[in-house]
Amino acid sequence: MAKGSTNRIDELLASVTTDLMGDGQGALQDNSIRVERLLLEMVRPDPVQPRRVLPESIHLRFHNNHVTPTQALRELVQIVQIAARQRGRPFNSVIELLPNADEEREEETAVTLSPEEQLLHDLVNLAVTIRDDGQVNPLTVVDVSQGVTRLFRIETGERRYWATWLLRDFIPNYTG
């Protein structure tokens, strides 16, 4: 290669970059981190996320689009209601899973929850916290839109996603 040819390649690369990206400001800013309000319906958990929130059977049916988020949570609630009823702790509303302050002190060591009960208890607790204090830590999502359909995949915050659905569809008097 001739000594002057490297300068020619550098000039060609510089011109291609300028032609494709303009001055570089607009195209690069489009990939920056932004905080936006998104419709909950436009957001989906990552199906291959190793840390699962829902039990495996519900998880698979949800990600195969056989059930909606509300239906998936309804199935979870029904599973927990059966488990709780078998252990002598029936409930009608998910809000009943949260003990009041006096009961919590008395029963702290006495009650051992099943894994399903613990999962729903934690989600309801998170939902009530979001209701009372707001969404302190937002979900982190990636835009996976195709064509005109806007869709975002959750990178972090799947528990907050499910707690928000619980809050919206299962906790009475929520107006947020």
Side-chain angles (χ1 to χ4, degrees), residues 51-99:
R51 183 175 177 217
R52 302 273 161 79
V53 173
L54 299 177
E56 189 70 20
S57 62
I58 299 172
H59 170 85
L60 290 172
R61 294 188 34 209
F62 171 72
H63 286 290
N64 288 327
N65 294 318
H66 294 141
V67 294
T68 66
T70 302
Q71 291 168 331
L73 284 172
R74 186 171 291 122
E75 286 183 26
L76 175 63
V77 169
Q78 289 170 348
I79 290 169
V80 173
Q81 282 178 319
I82 291 168
R85 191 177 314 120
Q86 290 173 345
R87 294 170 183 246
R89 296 186 298 269
F91 65 92
N92 293 317
S93 170
V94 293
I95 206 76
E96 294 174 30
L97 291 172
L98 298 179

Side-chain angles (χ1 to χ4, degrees), residues 12-72:
L12 284 172
L13 286 174
S15 70
V16 169
T17 303
T18 305
D19 292 344
L20 292 176
M21 298 179 62
D23 61 2
Q25 298 300 316
L28 292 177
Q29 287 179 349
D30 190 45
N31 291 327
S32 64
I33 295 174
R34 300 183 306 268
V35 177
E36 295 181 26
R37 288 186 181 262
L38 300 172
L39 290 175
L40 198 54
E41 291 81 2
M42 294 170 38
V43 178
R44 299 283 289 192
D46 187 349
V48 295
Q49 166 64 265
R51 183 175 177 217
R52 302 273 161 79
V53 173
L54 299 177
E56 189 70 20
S57 62
I58 299 172
H59 170 85
L60 290 172
R61 294 188 34 209
F62 171 72
H63 286 290
N64 288 327
N65 294 318
H66 294 141
V67 294
T68 66
T70 302
Q71 291 168 331

Side-chain angles (χ1 to χ4, degrees), residues 33-172:
I33 295 174
R34 300 183 306 268
V35 177
E36 295 181 26
R37 288 186 181 262
L38 300 172
L39 290 175
L40 198 54
E41 291 81 2
M42 294 170 38
V43 178
R44 299 283 289 192
D46 187 349
V48 295
Q49 166 64 265
R51 183 175 177 217
R52 302 273 161 79
V53 173
L54 299 177
E56 189 70 20
S57 62
I58 299 172
H59 170 85
L60 290 172
R61 294 188 34 209
F62 171 72
H63 286 290
N64 288 327
N65 294 318
H66 294 141
V67 294
T68 66
T70 302
Q71 291 168 331
L73 284 172
R74 186 171 291 122
E75 286 183 26
L76 175 63
V77 169
Q78 289 170 348
I79 290 169
V80 173
Q81 282 178 319
I82 291 168
R85 191 177 314 120
Q86 290 173 345
R87 294 170 183 246
R89 296 186 298 269
F91 65 92
N92 293 317
S93 170
V94 293
I95 206 76
E96 294 174 30
L97 291 172
L98 298 179
N100 64 37
D102 296 332
E103 289 176 1
E104 190 173 333
R105 284 188 212 104
E106 293 172 9
E107 297 180 13
E108 212 169 83
T109 57
V111 176
T112 302
L113 299 176
S114 69
E116 296 85 6
E117 288 176 291
Q118 189 65 54
L119 167 64
L120 189 58
H121 175 273
D122 292 347
L123 285 176
V124 171
N125 190 34
L126 180 56
V128 169
T129 302
I130 290 171
R131 179 193 66 193
D132 295 344
D133 300 335
Q135 182 95 13
V136 177
N137 295 320
L139 301 178
T140 305
V141 298
V142 174
D143 189 346
V144 292
S145 301
Q146 295 178 351
V148 295
T149 305
R150 297 280 315 236
L151 188 62
F152 298 88
R153 185 185 69 236
I154 296 174
E155 288 288 312
T156 61
E158 186 173 341
R159 288 183 69 248
R160 283 169 274 160
Y161 169 84
W162 289 111
T164 304
W165 275 104
L166 254 177
L167 183 59
R168 188 179 121 171
D169 293 342
F170 293 86
I171 296 182

